[in-house]
């Protein structure tokens, strides 16, 4: 009889709000207002208004514990503090050099009404592009060691909203196709979780600064009411900690249009500044490597006649990289462990033992000679105990070999990350639980001690920790290019315009673009990558990552020097980035300015629909003319029929002009804008 | 990179099966075969074949614990035992008097290969209509007290199967609209979970004999692989027990057609016999009561001018019941606690304190005089501690008042069942967790001591325990009639043909049929019940329950004596029941023979489509003629436009004849077949 009684309650609650004590804090521009009050059961609740629109209706807050009284009810406000911030900070690398942090802060101090002086604080920061709030539980009697059993943060969103999401599916990983649907169709969802309200406002729910806590998935508990579901430890406890502690920030990005979400710096602003000091050893750049051949199954990770990671093969890639100005060469399958059934069987992996046909010393010497670097690889297959026992030694080896970046992998089904428990028995953890949240960061911190940067695959979601640990240089965390080699189905054309407004809101993604051979046979099966050639170039601008791979085989690039030129030109580090236009799942266009240089780049992609874009170039410098090197879909281009139909042309443009681009079905466009020196 | 590696594994596994040791057990008719073997990691796996069709592909088995080594890997078979059963047993009440139990049993004894002699057994029973298996963990060193952290029973079903289900939605209750879709669309699901394979075989996954264990929801962990997700305690532990213990039976009903599932006795056969001895005090029958008026909001649960549960109102219903041969009168809102905001606030309820305007003694005296019984009501709103502290006293009171049945209620959102924890703090449990599984049964056992039967609303799923505890007479556990009073949307016409092949496979449902006033205003809103009048009669035969309510107001029945006659004629207890025809969500037709009598009844309902049925009457007794009293939709009947268009007519029929019935959109037909005495 659920719905019926629910109605009663909602009525009761909304009556109450008027009466209850209420504290408010608004954004500097006054558009966004967060209000805290209490429902009739003296449970703390909050609302968020954007202008006159209630984008979050009355929603509950609080924590529940295994041994202590819950901190989600019988509370009252005993004090509050306010702060304002307005400043800028510099990124060592990133989508923009300077980030503006302008917000109003409210700290609400709550205490139990039962006389036991139980305390919990709520810190709220409201920016012009959204807000974040977090729980801060002060040190207090009876709350030393605590097990958090549940966090009941709710997000009561407007009915009839449209959502874009991937399922949270019992905390499994993020490699799903994104869905578009009515908010009420959502059962569970990972974040970033993006919605458009009936009023046309765009929201994205996520979290920032996830440290020593469990990540959450969103559960739809009642129609339009999403609740944080913290990923548990294998024994069911959600978080083990001790007071004083802080939760991660619960974030809500708010914008009148979709591109506003993509231009928001909210997540970074809610993270702590760089803790690593001089990070000049963190090197953005482009790389090639022994990777796509493994997914196309022309070479193997394991040893044998088709082994990919051989000395000779690696030297060939290094020479290619040096010839074309790439910084690194990734080699997967170089170390003992890949033979046999290694899935969920990561104890096989030896992270300091190369296969006999991979002479790591010779490879490293050749790299030094050619001025490139070996990019390291650690696949754990989810056996974290095995990896941690070798982690320090494996980074020592790589550092000696001049390696500056390591790609890690955690290929395992949800709940099958393995560790040895206290009693020596296996424990099966989730990628998103507190144990793994801490492991991923331990891995990044240990790497930092060796001046190595980490590119995590099958990662924990990005919550902006790259600001605090700039050597966490990229991660996967979505369906990447490899799904185009063997995925069923491959990534559809709408996938990238969906990523841009969901996964990409959290941070850089190692998508590995740049496939030129778009239709091929794999183990007897005909594969079609649902992309035109021009689109593969556009991805270097559309999908932000400080490390960009040119994923295809050297011979495929050398067969298309005209198109390849864009990949060798485009940088991976930026002075500025602007999301110009787009809608989730339809299309998206970005402009980015090279870090330190005057060159601008434009990238645009569409879904399976042909699309005409007309992009105003008002970001260009006043009074400067630019040569536009345009790589666009040809008149007959189509992601299935004619992927290779590309037009490469030049024009002179300047500020005030517009760039008209025609994107073919499954297509895209890439543009380089070079200032004309006069 | 999930799918890719998955492919590798599946290949690996299927190679392995051939090699691995394998034990098989088949159904008595030889059609169904269960086989146990091991995958390359010496994890036990099973398959199920129906004829030549692999209806369950290689699927994992096992349990994991908080302190002991897991029992899901490194196991070997050290012995096995076989048994056969072929018999009949009698139900004190039910859809049929005699139930046939014919099966082959295999007990497989497994032991760890690590020399520590850890033991787990698997008991498998294969019937002609499906199978069940359960874990039996013997008493053994180091496994005294155990916390089960996970059960990883998998059901790897055929790809491209069609599924009918309600979401498991973080273990919330069962009051959802059923969905039909591709198996891969399922995220989580409650059971019974029904699928049709591409070969046209129908399967239903469920469980039997759920005692002192957690219920499970199904998670789709990989495409087409469903896994048991045991509902946790509030602290995350799934099950607290000690060896020796048995899990509930994991059941798979298998049939070449949909009606075969509805005719299966598998769930009852896997439960223990009656433990209550003489249960002549368990009284199937029909009832009316003060209920629909509360949902139509013409009367209130709470006290005040529109209070429904007044002495006078109750006497009026009792006189009506006596006049028309009903056995009971349900009264909701009779006890203190309904005033104010009681949702999630069940501590308000006093189960022995009537409202001043409800003279329970006078009501009980009048009931005795008129030969009817008061039907009791206990709404807990999820505060189980409050209810348990009053349970015994409340049953004492009811027994003194001659009450033989109590309807219980647990209206609370998932995870908000409240109990006082050891330390006095609130604990928030799930309806389906071990705590509630045990509470629901404690409630039934305590009621039995008072010779009272229980009709549980917001219940734990039915797993056939009515065989062991025949006073667990019915329950809700799906969207019932009340959703037609206020549900948004109301139950669509396909709802009942969906219930028949999902929820109803688990046992009786107190749906409360028989609404005659099908279009009305509720609090200013026009409501339309998506049903014809004839369909409301059909529900008494289609939806099995040993207690059937005539839910509408007395005046609405007395305005339609012709149609009302069927409700007064139809029994609630049966000698035989036969699902004649149907498809999930389309239509369904049942024939049932009155317990002890020669009368047969037919009920048929359709979805929003008009449908012609032609039902062979070969269940009738040879050489006997029957008067068929037919209540069918009129030529213009339609669930929205003309719900009241009904034709009531008589014919003489006998075995060998067919009954042609035309069901209107949203319609149905009800037939009584009376032997002609010659």
């Amino acid at each position: 009889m659920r719905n019926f009684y629910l109605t009663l309650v909602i009525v009761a609650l909304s009556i109450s709000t008027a009466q209850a004590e209420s504290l408010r804090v608004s954004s500097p521009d006054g558009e966004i207002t967060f209000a805290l009050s209490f429902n009739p059961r003296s449970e703390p609740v909050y609302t968020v208004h954007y202008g006159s629109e209630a984008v979050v209706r009355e929603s509950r807050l609080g924590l529940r514990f295994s041994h202590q009284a819950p901190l989600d009810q019988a509370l009252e406000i005993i004090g509050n503090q306010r702060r304002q911030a307005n400043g800028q900070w510099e990124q060592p690398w990133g989508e923009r050099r300077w980030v503006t942090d302008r917000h109003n802060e409210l700290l609400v101090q709550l205490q139990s009404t039962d006389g036991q002086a139980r305390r919990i604080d709520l810190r709220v920061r409201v920016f012009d592009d959204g807000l974040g709030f977090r729980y801060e539980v002060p040190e207090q009697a009876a709350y030393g060691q605590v097990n958090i059993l549940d966090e009941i943060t709710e997000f009561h969103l407007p009915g009839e909203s449209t959502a874009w999401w991937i399922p949270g599916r019992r905390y499994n990983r993020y490699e799903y196709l994104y869905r578009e649907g009515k908010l009420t169709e959502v059962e569970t969802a990972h974040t970033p979780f993006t919605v458009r309200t009936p009023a046309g406002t765009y929201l994205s729910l996520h979290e920032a600064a996830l440290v020593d806590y469990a990540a959450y998935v969103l559960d739809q508990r009642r129609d339009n009411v999403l609740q944080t579901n913290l990923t548990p430890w294998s024994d069911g406890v959600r978080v083990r900690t001790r007071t004083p502690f802080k939760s991660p920030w619960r974030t809500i990005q708010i914008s009148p249009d979709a591109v506003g979400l993509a231009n928001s710096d909210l997540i970074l602003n809610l993270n702590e500044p760089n803790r690593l000091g001089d990070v000049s050893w963190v090197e953005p750049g482009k790389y090639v490597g022994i990777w796509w051949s493994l997914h196309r199954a022309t070479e193997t990770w394991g040893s044998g006649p088709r082994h990919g990671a051989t000395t000779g093969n690696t030297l060939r890639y290094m020479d290619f990289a040096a010839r074309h100005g790439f910084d690194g060469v990734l080699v997967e399958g170089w170390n003992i462990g890949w033979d046999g059934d290694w899935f969920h069987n990561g104890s096989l992996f030896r992270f300091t033992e190369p296969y006999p046909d991979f002479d790591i010393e010779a490879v490293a010497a050749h790299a030094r000679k050619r001025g490139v670097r070996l990019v390291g690889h650690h696949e754990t297959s989810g056996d974290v105990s095995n990896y941690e026992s070798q982690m320090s030694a494996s980074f020592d080896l790589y550092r000696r070999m001049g390696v500056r970046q390591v790609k890690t992998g955690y290929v395992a089904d949800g709940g099958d990350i393995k560790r040895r428990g206290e009693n020596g028995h296996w424990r099966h953890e989730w990628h998103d639980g507190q144990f793994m949240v801490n492991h991923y960061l331990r891995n990044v911190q240990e790497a930092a001690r060796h001046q190595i940067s980490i590119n995590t695959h099958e990662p924990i979601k990005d919550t902006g920790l790259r600001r605090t640990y700039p050597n966490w240089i990229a991660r996967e965390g979505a369906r990447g290019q490899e799904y185009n080699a063997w995925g069923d189905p491959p990534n559809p054309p709408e996938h990238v315009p969906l990523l841009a407004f969901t996964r990409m809101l959290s941070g850089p993604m190692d998508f590995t673009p740049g496939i030129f051979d778009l239709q091929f046979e794999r183990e007897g099966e005909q594969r079609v990558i649902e992309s035109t050639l021009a689109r593969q170039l556009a991805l270097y601008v559309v999908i932000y990552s400080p490390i960009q791979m040119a994923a295809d085989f050297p011979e495929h690039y050398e067969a298309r020097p005209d198109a390849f030129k864009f990949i060798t030109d485009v940088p991976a580090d930026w002075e500025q980035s602007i999301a110009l236009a787009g809608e989730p799942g339809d299309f998206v266009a970005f402009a980015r300015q090279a870090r330190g240089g005057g060159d601008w780049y434009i990238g645009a992609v569409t879904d399976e629909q042909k699309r005409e874009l007309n992009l105003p170039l008002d970001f260009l410098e006043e009074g400067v003319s630019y040569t536009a090197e345009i790589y666009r879909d040809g008149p007959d281009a189509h992601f299935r029929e004619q992927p290779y139909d590309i037009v490469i042309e030049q024009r002179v443009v300047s500020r005030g002009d517009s760039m008209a681009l025609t994107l073919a079905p499954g297509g895209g466009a890439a543009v380089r804008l070079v200032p004309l020196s006069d």
Side-chain angles (χ1 to χ4, degrees), chain A:
Chain A
M1 307 193 293
R2 192 153 170 289
N3 292 356
F4 175 60
Y5 294 109
L6 204 59
T7 320
L8 287 184
V9 187
I10 289 163
V11 174
L13 297 188
S14 36
I15 292 163
S16 73
T17 342
Q19 309 155 345
E21 176 186 9
S22 170
L23 269 174
R24 295 167 190 286
V25 55
S26 295
S27 55
D29 67 4
E31 284 300 307
I32 302 172
T33 300
F34 175 101
L36 181 78
S37 62
F38 296 88
N39 68 20
R41 279 176 239 103
S42 57
E43 294 160 344
V45 291
Y46 77 100
T47 61
V48 177
H49 281 76
Y50 179 55
S52 60
E53 181 187 11
V55 291
V56 180
R57 322 291 168 93
E58 199 156 77
S59 299
R60 291 196 56 192
L61 295 162
L63 299 171
R64 294 170 178 171
F65 305 92
S66 62
H67 295 84
Q68 296 85 358
L71 294 176
D72 66 342
Q73 52 190 278
L75 295 169
E76 64 184 346
I77 296 170
I78 58 164
N80 70 85
Q81 300 166 17
R82 292 177 183 275
R83 265 186 60 252
Q84 289 174 4
N86 187 359
Q88 281 205 325
W89 56 276
E90 183 176 9
Q91 296 200 80
W93 51 265
E95 58 277 74
R96 61 185 54 83
R97 180 191 298 270
W98 292 103
V99 177
T100 300
D101 176 356
R102 181 160 165 262
H103 68 262
N104 294 330
E105 177 179 290
L106 170 67
L107 176 71
V108 184
Q109 295 162 311
L110 297 159
Q111 182 170 294
S112 58
T113 53
D114 61 8
Q116 288 173 35
R118 293 180 285 106
R119 294 262 291 100
I120 183 170
D121 297 344
L122 188 74
R123 190 179 299 273
V124 187
R125 288 185 185 162
V126 189
F127 302 73
D128 293 345
D129 57 351
L131 62 91
F133 59 85
R134 74 179 177 198
Y135 303 103
E136 299 183 1
V137 180
E139 194 159 14
Q140 56 191 291
Y143 287 80
Q145 213 79 38
V146 296
N147 294 340
I148 297 175
L149 295 189
D150 206 2
E151 176 184 319
I152 55 158
T153 306
E154 291 179 345
F155 303 93
H156 184 173
L157 303 179
E160 303 304 313
S161 291
T162 301
W164 295 272
W165 79 99
I166 52 171
R169 264 204 177 175
R170 204 183 183 191
Y171 324 110
N172 208 346
R173 286 173 293 133
Y174 314 123
E175 296 176 12
Y176 297 104
L177 292 173
Y178 281 80
R179 305 179 183 184
E180 170 174 337
K182 283 166 51 183
L183 176 59
T184 47
E185 292 169 20
V186 175
E187 194 174 329
T188 65
H190 282 298
T191 66
F193 176 78
T194 300
V195 305
R196 183 182 58 225
T197 72
T201 304
Y202 289 78
L203 310 173
S204 177
L205 307 182
H206 190 46
E207 55 188 307
L210 171 56
V211 177
D212 195 21
Y213 203 81
Y216 70 77
V217 298
L218 290 165
D219 287 349
Q220 187 152 202
R221 298 300 306 281
R222 298 184 298 282
D223 281 357
N224 306 308
V225 178
L226 303 173
Q227 189 183 56
T228 51
N229 173 355
L230 296 175
T231 305
W233 284 77
S234 50
D235 67 359
V237 170
R238 306 305 180 97
V239 175
R240 294 185 149 81
T241 184
R242 55 179 304 113
T243 60
F245 70 88
K246 302 174 170 69
S247 76
W249 294 95
R250 280 59 187 99
T251 61
I252 308 171
Q253 283 157 290
I254 305 173
S255 170
D257 49 27
V259 288
L261 298 179
N263 287 320
S264 165
D265 293 317
L266 183 81
I267 303 299
L268 285 172
N269 274 325
L270 288 168
N271 275 268
E272 299 298 316
N274 172 12
R275 290 220 179 115
L276 300 183
D278 171 14
V279 288
S280 52
W281 47 270
V282 178
E283 297 172 348
K286 289 175 291 185
Y287 68 104
V288 295
I290 297 166
W291 177 79
W292 186 239
S293 58
L294 307 171
H295 288 282
R296 275 188 62 164
T298 59
E299 299 180 314
T300 62
W301 278 276
S303 63
R306 295 191 298 125
H307 186 212
T310 62
T311 307
N313 203 19
T314 306
L315 299 191
R316 182 171 70 91
Y317 272 88
M318 285 183 163
D319 293 341
F320 173 79
R323 253 196 326 277
H324 297 287
F326 289 93
D327 307 282
V329 176
L330 169 70
V331 181
E332 294 196 6
W334 67 278
N335 62 313
I336 303 293
W338 292 93
D339 299 320
D341 176 16
W342 55 269
F343 180 71
H344 285 180
N345 208 9
S347 57
L348 298 173
F349 288 111
R350 301 278 159 270
F351 298 96
T352 55
E353 298 176 29
Y355 277 116
D357 57 354
F358 184 74
D359 182 341
I360 193 168
E361 302 280 353
V363 160
H366 190 77
R368 273 190 297 277
K369 196 168 98 246
R370 301 303 310 263
V372 298
R373 292 188 184 279
L374 178 65
V375 174
H377 184 241
H378 288 163
E379 175 55 58
T380 67
S381 191
D383 188 336
V384 168
S385 295
N386 177 59
Y387 183 37
E388 292 203 343
S389 69
Q390 303 177 55
M391 206 159 71
S392 176
S394 64
F395 286 136
D396 284 338
L397 168 66
Y398 267 145
R399 185 172 190 183
R400 285 202 315 278
M401 298 301 120
V403 169
R404 280 287 169 94
Q405 279 161 32
V406 173
K407 171 182 176 178
T408 60
Y410 296 83
V411 173
D413 282 337
D416 279 318
I417 291 285
K418 281 159 71 183
R419 69 178 172 98
R420 287 285 176 190
E422 307 60 38
N423 49 22
H425 303 315
W426 285 118
R427 284 277 173 274
H428 298 77
E429 305 292 348
W430 306 95
H431 288 76
D432 279 9
Q434 185 183 15
F435 168 76
M436 282 304 287
V437 164
N438 292 348
H439 162 77
Y440 285 115
L441 185 54
R442 262 198 311 278
N443 175 251
V444 166
Q445 290 168 321
E446 178 65 30
R449 281 187 277 278
H450 296 78
Q451 300 199 337
I452 285 173
S453 297
I454 295 296
N455 166 19
T456 316
H457 281 235
E458 300 79 40
I460 181 67
K461 67 174 92 166
D462 194 340
T463 58
L465 286 169
R466 61 185 162 131
R467 178 180 180 184
T468 313
Y469 303 96
N471 69 316
W472 205 339
I473 197 156
R475 69 189 84 195
E476 189 185 39
R479 261 177 160 242
Q481 187 82 269
E482 66 276 12
Y483 276 81
N484 292 328
W486 42 257
D488 178 21
N491 299 325
E494 67 173 15
H495 184 58
V496 172
L498 279 162
L499 286 178
F501 298 102
T502 52
R503 160 66 181 84
M504 297 312 296
L505 302 180
S506 71
M509 176 179 177
D510 185 35
F511 182 88
T512 65
I515 299 303
F516 277 24
D517 183 25
L518 293 161
Q519 306 192 348
F520 52 86
E521 221 181 57
R522 180 183 182 279
E523 292 180 335
E525 181 203 3
Q526 183 59 32
R527 302 288 308 184
V528 173
I529 297 186
E530 300 192 342
S531 167
T532 63
L533 182 58
R535 178 193 182 91
Q536 287 295 313
L537 304 180
L539 296 178
Y540 287 87
V541 183
V542 168
I543 298 182
Y544 170 64
S545 176
I547 52 168
Q548 290 282 26
M549 186 175 200
D552 210 340
F553 303 166
E555 54 270 34
H556 294 150
Y557 290 129
E558 283 164 343
R560 294 295 316 233
D562 55 347
F564 186 49
K565 179 174 186 303
F566 183 83
I567 298 180
T568 56
D569 289 341
V570 69
D573 196 19
W574 306 103
E575 192 71 22
Q576 306 178 55
S577 291
I578 307 165
L580 298 172
E583 288 297 334
D586 297 338
F587 73 103
V588 66
F590 282 90
R592 305 187 193 268
Q593 184 180 35
R595 177 72 70 117
D599 287 13
W600 280 87
Y601 291 81
I602 296 172
V605 299
T606 180
D607 58 7
E608 71 290 344
Q609 306 286 334
K610 181 173 182 166
R611 217 170 285 271
E612 312 276 345
L613 300 185
N614 197 26
L615 305 170
L617 302 179
D618 43 22
F619 49 84
L620 295 178
E621 196 183 332
E622 189 62 67
V624 179
S625 294
Y626 294 78
T627 307
E629 302 168 8
I630 303 169
Y631 302 73
R632 60 174 177 84
D633 294 318
D636 302 325
H638 183 284
F639 67 98
R640 280 206 203 86
E641 280 69 40
Q642 291 222 40
Y644 303 113
D645 183 14
I646 187 169
V647 173
I648 303 174
E649 61 192 0
Q650 296 209 350
R651 280 169 47 201
V652 173
V653 299
S654 57
R655 181 181 181 130
D657 295 343
S658 283
M659 176 74 60
L661 294 171
T662 301
L663 312 180
V671 181
R672 179 188 183 196
L673 296 151
V674 187
L676 278 164
S677 45
D678 41 10

